[in-house]
Amino acid sequence: MKKFNIFYGWWIVAMGALVLGVYGGVYLYGFSIFFNPLIDRFGWSRGALSGAFSVSRLETGLFGPIGGWLVDKFGPRIPMFIGTLLMGVGFLLLTQVDSLVSFYIYFLVFISAGAGIGAVNSVTTVVGKWFIRRRTFATGLIISGVGFGGLIVPALAWIVTTYGLDAGYIAAGLAIMAVGFPAAFIMRSEPEKYGMLPDGNTVVESYDPRAAEAGVQPTGETTGNTRYIEVNFTGPQAMKTRAFWLLGLAFGMRQLTVSSIAVHQIPLLVDRGFSLAEASALLGLLAILSIPGRMLMGWLGDKYDKRYLLMGTLAMIIVSLIVLINATTIWHVLLFLVIYSPAYGGGGPLMTSMRGEYFGRRHFGTIQGLNQWVQIWGTLIGPIFAGIMYDTTKSYNVAFLSFAVAGAVAILLTFLATKPAPPKERLTVDAGGAVPAR
C-alpha cells in the first residue's frame, strides 16, 4: 500500500481533491452557469428555479448519513461508484428537460442524490479515517480541490455560450464519470486494515487527555512513545451531546450564505451589468481564492483551537456581505471576493475536522452525515429566500443583510460548542490492540 515511500493517505488526498475539483467545477459552482440560460429558455421565475437548488442541497444532506454509513460499513468504493454513475447519467438526462417538473426529477433523483452519496461525504470521511494529528491539514488539501474546480467554470461557461445548454450538460456528465470511476479504485477504508496507522505513524504519538480524565488507560506494550487513546462516539452517543447540536445549528447559519452565493452570484453580477462570461470568471476566481483559506486554516487548525478560527471566518463572511450589498464596480466585487473567498474556503476543513476531533474516527462518516441533517435547513432556506426576495424587491439586499445577522448568531453558537466529555458507555483504545473500556 505504500508507493515511493509516500504514506498512502496522501494518495487518497490527491485523488479525492481531483474528484472534488470536478464536483466543484460542474455542480457546486458550475451549475450556476445554467441558471440564466434555463430562465431564458423556459421562462421560469428565479424563486422556482432556486427551489431546485435548495431541495438538491436538502437531498444531498438527507443522503449524507446513508453515504457516510456506507463508507463506515463497506469502504468508499461502493458509494463513489454509485454516486458517480447517478451524477453522470443525471447530467446527460438534463438534455431531455422539457418542463420544470422534468428538470426537478433529473436534477434531484440523479445529480443531487449522486452528490450526496458519492462526492463530498465519501472523500472527507475517508480522510477523516486516515489522519488524526494532521486531519485538518489533509482535509484542507482535499477540499482545496473544490477551489481548483473554479478553473473549470469559465470553460464550462464557454461551452454553454458557444454550443448551448445541452453541450454543457454532456460535458459535465462525461467529466464526472471520467474522473469519478478511476478515483474510486484508489480509495481505501481505514489504514489499520492495511497494516498502517493514521498519519503514516509506526507508533501513534498523540494523546487525548479526555480519555485519561475518564480513567481509561492505554493497553499493550509501549515503545517509548505515549500511545494514543482515541475517544469514539457512536451516532446516537454523539446526538446526546450539546456540541453536536450547537455545531449543526452554527453550520446551518453559515450555509444560509454560502449556498445562496453559490446559486445567485452569477445572476446578481449579470443584473449589475456583467456578461455571463465575466460573471462566470468572477465565480471561478472565488473558487480559486478560496484555496489559500482552505490550506491556511487546514494548517492552523492542527495547531490552534478550531472554534476560534471558525469564528474568525464567520466574521469575515459578515464583512464581505456588507461589501457585496454595496458593490457597484468591479473593484467592489473584487474586494468582496478577497474577503469572502478565503473565509468561505477555510470554514470547510475546520467544520469537518471538528467533527472528527469531537467524536472520533470509528463512526466518522455516520456522525458527519447526521450532523449535516441538523444544518440542512440553512442549505434549503438560503437560496429560496434569496430568490423570493429578488422576485419581490428586485434586489438581493434584504436576503444578504439577513444572512449577515445569521452569521453573528453562528459566531455565538460556535463559541458555545465546546468539546464534549467522552461517552461513559464506551471508550476505545485504538492503538496497540483496540479494546472496549467501561
Side-chain angles (χ1 to χ4, degrees):
M1 295 298 296
K2 288 187 178 181
K3 300 180 181 180
F4 309 111
N5 295 320
I6 297 176
F7 176 50
Y8 196 80
W10 296 117
W11 293 103
I12 290 176
V13 168
M15 291 307 298
L18 182 60
V19 169
L20 293 187
V22 177
Y23 163 85
V26 304
Y27 177 66
L28 183 62
Y29 299 123
F31 218 96
S32 182
I33 292 169
F34 303 128
F35 198 95
N36 279 6
L38 278 168
I39 290 176
D40 293 339
R41 174 183 288 188
F42 295 105
W44 302 330
S45 71
R46 294 195 183 190
L49 187 54
S50 298
F53 291 89
S54 294
V55 176
S56 76
R57 300 301 192 263
L58 170 64
E59 185 180 16
T60 300
L62 291 175
F63 275 103
I66 298 174
W69 178 83
L70 286 172
V71 175
D72 288 339
K73 185 72 174 177
F74 302 107
R77 288 183 178 179
I78 292 176
M80 284 195 69
F81 273 118
I82 295 173
T84 297
L85 180 62
L86 287 173
M87 288 192 75
V89 171
F91 273 105
L92 299 181
L93 286 174
L94 286 180
T95 61
Q96 306 303 309
V97 166
D98 57 6
S99 67
L100 185 63
V101 172
S102 62
F103 176 81
Y104 266 69
I105 291 173
Y106 298 144
F107 188 61
L108 299 177
V109 175
F110 290 89
I111 296 176
S112 65
I117 293 173
V120 177
N121 275 341
S122 291
V123 295
T124 56
T125 294
V126 174
V127 169
K129 292 176 179 290
W130 279 78
F131 295 89
I132 297 176
R133 180 168 45 86
R134 306 198 70 186
R135 178 184 287 134
T136 316
F137 179 67
T139 304
L141 288 179
I142 201 169
I143 298 181
S144 292
V146 178
F148 281 111
L151 296 173
I152 300 175
V153 174
L156 186 60
W158 177 81
I159 292 174
V160 172
T161 302
T162 306
Y163 299 104
L165 268 174
D166 291 347
Y169 295 146
I170 293 171
L174 294 178
I176 285 287
M177 292 188 285
V179 173
F181 288 135
F185 284 103
I186 302 296
M187 296 296 165
R188 300 288 189 276
S189 52
E190 58 265 21
E192 288 86 347
K193 290 186 177 181
Y194 302 94
M196 289 178 280
L197 291 172
D199 300 295
N201 293 334
T202 54
V203 174
V204 186
E205 300 173 350
S206 302
Y207 180 67
D208 192 331
R210 292 179 296 163
E213 292 170 1
V216 180
Q217 298 299 321
T219 64
E221 296 180 1
T222 63
T223 58
N225 292 321
T226 303
R227 286 197 180 278
Y228 183 84
I229 304 174
E230 186 177 3
V231 174
N232 285 296
F233 288 73
T234 64
Q237 287 168 347
M239 293 177 71
K240 292 178 182 178
T241 67
R242 185 183 70 163
F244 177 89
W245 297 100
L246 289 175
L247 289 178
L249 290 173
F251 298 166
M253 294 285 183
R254 179 182 180 275
Q255 289 302 107
L256 284 169
T257 296
V258 300
S259 61
S260 299
I261 293 294
V263 173
H264 290 282
Q265 179 178 323
I266 287 180
L268 181 150
L269 293 177
V270 170
D271 289 342
R272 298 190 182 184
F274 295 89
S275 68
L276 176 62
E278 292 169 337
S280 300
L282 289 168
L283 181 59
L285 181 60
L286 183 157
I288 296 299
L289 290 176
S290 74
I291 295 173
R294 299 179 197 274
M295 292 186 172
L296 177 61
M297 290 302 161
W299 178 71
L300 291 175
D302 288 328
K303 297 178 178 295
Y304 304 104
D305 193 322
K306 299 175 185 59
R307 284 188 308 139
Y308 296 120
L309 294 173
L310 183 60
M311 290 164 61
T313 65
L314 290 168
M316 291 176 63
I317 287 176
I318 293 173
V319 173
S320 72
L321 288 173
I322 302 303
V323 173
L324 183 61
I325 288 171
N326 295 283
T328 57
T329 69
I330 182 63
W331 299 109
H332 295 153
V333 176
L334 290 175
L335 178 60
F336 158 75
L337 292 175
V338 168
I339 300 172
Y340 174 81
S341 302
Y344 154 70
L350 292 172
M351 293 188 299
T352 300
S353 187
M354 284 177 74
R355 295 187 186 108
E357 178 183 336
Y358 279 30
F359 305 113
R361 290 186 305 137
R362 180 123 340 139
H363 305 284
F364 180 79
T366 302
I367 293 172
Q368 176 166 259
L370 289 171
N371 195 244
Q372 288 173 345
W373 274 0
V374 184
Q375 72 183 59
I376 206 171
W377 63 273
T379 305
L380 172 65
I381 293 174
I384 293 179
F385 179 68
I388 291 175
M389 286 298 99
Y390 179 86
D391 290 336
T392 303
T393 68
K394 302 305 177 185
S395 170
Y396 288 105
N397 289 355
V398 173
F400 289 158
L401 279 173
S402 301
F403 299 156
V405 174
V409 176
I411 291 176
L412 175 61
L413 293 174
T414 303
F415 175 75
L416 296 175
T418 54
K419 195 177 297 184
K424 295 180 180 180
E425 313 94 281
R426 181 180 181 184
L427 291 173
T428 58
V429 182
D430 279 348
V435 295
R438 299 186 185 276

